[in-house]
Amino acid sequence: MQSRSPASRTGRPRSATADAAILAATREALVELGWSKLTLGDVAMRAGVAKTTLYRRWAGKNELVVDAVAELFDALELPDRGSLAADIEGVVLQFATILALPEAKSGLMAVVAEATRDDALRERIRASVVERQKRLVLEGRARAQARGELPPEPDPDSSARTVDLIFDMVAGAVVHRTLVSAEPADEEWVRGFTRVLLHGLADQPY
């Protein structure tokens, strides 16, 4: 897993317990205070650590919130439900459930907005959220190929482009549905989305 702290920072070894407490406190503060009022001082107080402890780990609020939100998505798991369609439905429902959390909604929307004018922050989102969660696409595709549901894709470049496309389609659709349109990604919607994802529009009944 990629380090969440800048590589140039040195000092005492990091404490996993302190990191967990800080990230949990950040999510709590997001819900109670909102993005604009959240400060590293408040997070430090909630986590029971010195403010300097936060600055040894994170350069500022943007990076801290990205990592706090990214930890939520690390809980995603690809269920083995017997078919590619059922597996996709299972993980998309999990994803939608996480996005419905107040701390996920406020945190993700805030850092994405900030990233429009901060290239370093955009790269951190890519590394901490996007690249880490592509593991689900890789796992799902490998499982479907082993079942014979998908053909092998031996060319590495083509394979990587396919992974990017699948991830973008799933993440983009679910984020738009839940955070932009503010509509539920319930089981009926997820089933319809999965049919379109796997079979395209031409095969859909109207």
Side-chain angles (χ1 to χ4, degrees), residues 62 109-122 125:
N62 292 355
M109 294 290 274
V111 295
V112 168
E114 290 294 315
T116 61
R117 51 183 177 270
D118 186 335
D119 291 343
L121 180 60
R122 187 182 304 116
I125 294 170

Side-chain angles (χ1 to χ4, degrees), residues 58-107:
W58 292 276
K61 181 167 74 171
N62 292 355
E63 293 82 0
L64 175 59
V65 172
V66 169
D67 287 0
V69 173
E71 189 174 60
L72 293 173
F73 298 122
D74 285 341
L76 284 168
E77 295 181 354
L78 184 71
D80 189 345
R81 300 171 71 177
S83 71
L84 176 58
D87 290 356
I88 292 172
E89 289 174 12
V91 76
V92 169
L93 285 168
Q94 286 181 53
F95 184 35
T97 297
I98 290 173
L99 286 174
L101 296 172
E103 58 267 41
K105 286 193 286 189
S106 58

